[in-house]
Amino acid sequence: MASKNTRTELIETGTRMLLQTGYNHTGIQSLLQAVGVPKGSFYCHFSNKEDFGLQVVEHYCRKHTAYLERYLSDESQSPLTRLRRYFEFYIEYYASLQCQDGCLLGNLAAEMADQNETFRTRLEELFTGWRERLAECLKRAQEVGEVPAELDVTAVAEFCLNSWEGAVLRMKTCKSVAPLHTFVSLFFDSLLKG
Amino acid sequence: MASKNTRTELIETGTRMLLQTGYNHTGIQSLLQAVGVPKGSFYCHFSNKEDFGLQVVEHYCRKHTAYLERYLSDESQSPLTRLRRYFEFYIEYYASLQCQDGCLLGNLAAEMADQNETFRTRLEELFTGWRERLAECLKRAQEVGEVPAELDVTAVAEFCLNSWEGAVLRMKTCKSVAPLHTFVSLFFDSLLKG
């Protein structure tokens, strides 16, 4: 299905471009040249640049939600170990990218939250869903006695997610995964020890 | 001094534009129109857009370093209270901005760290200086017994700064200071309690 492949190629190349240069700085013309398709192919799949950007976000989230589930649904590990292994996976992931790109959601939050209400509300929904999945895992950890019973798991999940995003942002400027290790160490070995 | 005022106006208007639309999306022509000066005035003060952007960053940091010192040098408060009041000041500050803009350093880290090595290295120096000032205050807090002696204050300051930046980023998408309150509460009332 040539049509389906063109859409996939546009989305995948677009994901790289959005990660590397941001939304405003990504030109549709450059995308078409990179993929090697005419303008008509783009408008066959996307109504405009905003629609394209939002579909890139959905594509990115499907991929990363699969990683989240791979770790957080791993019943062979304790809930807290699952959560820690999830973040440790991303340390390897970002190391393999030489600390480039960062998180598309975080990058777009910085760039678009004040400029485009459709992006802002969708990013916020995605962050909230991510936080809820982390909170669910922390709740399980609480049930088996791995984290203190008095912790407000929703607040801790919110703190965890935002602190991780901040560590990923910092990784981009220091070009080292050290901030990610510091996050994992202080979050799991200090904060959750209560 | 008309010349000095023009430079100041360009920097101040540029700061707002960089905060609201990012570096790449800020056009020199729009800046000149907003300030109402001809192109020659710009090149009289800045060698190019990059030089201008970097000077905006320095201007922004001078202003925010003054806030940092106002709180962290306040000897009438204990070291940990100084630090907490510093972050509480920023909750009020961002609330007064209706949770717009966020932190210029964080926004530019997301946008520019992979695109421009001059910006990346300068942002990293500024983050490091900020972290060192926070670590110094935490060290004082440790000396007076406000935080556990076994804490690695450099790592905690790093975690603190990055987690704060992540909370500010999230504030931009949820348009509420709730993530900032969650940061202050979990950082001061849980993590530092040891």
Side-chain angles (χ1 to χ4, degrees), chain A residues 13-177:
Chain A
T13 303
T15 304
R16 283 197 296 280
M17 291 175 77
L18 255 64
L19 276 165
Q20 285 162 12
T21 62
Y23 177 82
N24 290 311
H25 211 42
T26 291
I28 298 305
Q29 199 53 45
S30 307
L31 171 70
L32 295 174
Q33 278 170 6
V35 176
V37 295
K39 195 180 273 192
S41 301
F42 179 85
Y43 290 101
C44 183
H45 298 289
F46 312 103
S47 50
N48 51 39
K49 185 179 172 182
E50 180 184 281
D51 176 41
F52 171 71
L54 291 166
Q55 289 199 44
V56 166
V57 168
E58 300 306 321
H59 168 81
Y60 181 87
C61 282
R62 272 194 299 279
K63 174 180 161 185
H64 289 274
T65 299
Y67 292 142
L68 180 68
E69 286 310 319
R70 181 197 299 170
Y71 286 91
L72 268 53
S73 302
D74 178 6
E75 300 279 340
S76 74
Q77 305 290 330
S78 80
L80 200 57
T81 303
R82 288 176 222 164
L83 194 62
R84 188 174 188 135
R85 282 164 54 100
Y86 166 65
F87 288 109
E88 286 170 345
F89 158 75
Y90 270 97
I91 298 181
E92 294 295 316
Y93 177 85
Y94 284 121
S96 76
L97 297 173
Q98 287 81 47
C99 304
Q100 300 281 321
D101 298 352
C103 169
L104 185 63
L105 304 191
N107 293 352
L108 290 177
E111 183 183 8
M112 302 298 288
D114 290 342
Q115 287 179 30
N116 182 307
E117 191 63 8
T118 310
F119 268 96
R120 184 191 73 73
T121 52
R122 187 60 188 138
L123 290 169
E124 181 54 22
E125 285 167 0
L126 292 165
F127 279 133
T128 301
W130 189 2
R131 182 199 67 199
E132 285 172 3
R133 189 66 185 87
L134 298 176
E136 195 184 313
C137 191
L138 283 166
K139 180 86 186 140
R140 295 287 306 279
Q142 208 168 37
E143 285 162 5
V144 300
E146 287 189 301
V147 302
E150 66 273 17
L151 277 188
D152 172 346
V153 292
T154 301
V156 172
E158 174 79 32
F159 180 80
C160 172
L161 170 54
N162 298 342
S163 297
W164 173 256
E165 282 292 322
V168 170
L169 190 62
R170 182 65 183 283
M171 170 198 81
K172 289 186 59 162
T173 62
C174 72
K175 289 287 169 261
S176 152
V177 291

Side-chain angles (χ1 to χ4, degrees), chain B residues 174-186:
Chain B
C174 72
K175 288 287 167 262
S176 151
V177 291
L180 309 184
H181 281 293
T182 301
F183 163 81
V184 167
S185 167
L186 282 165

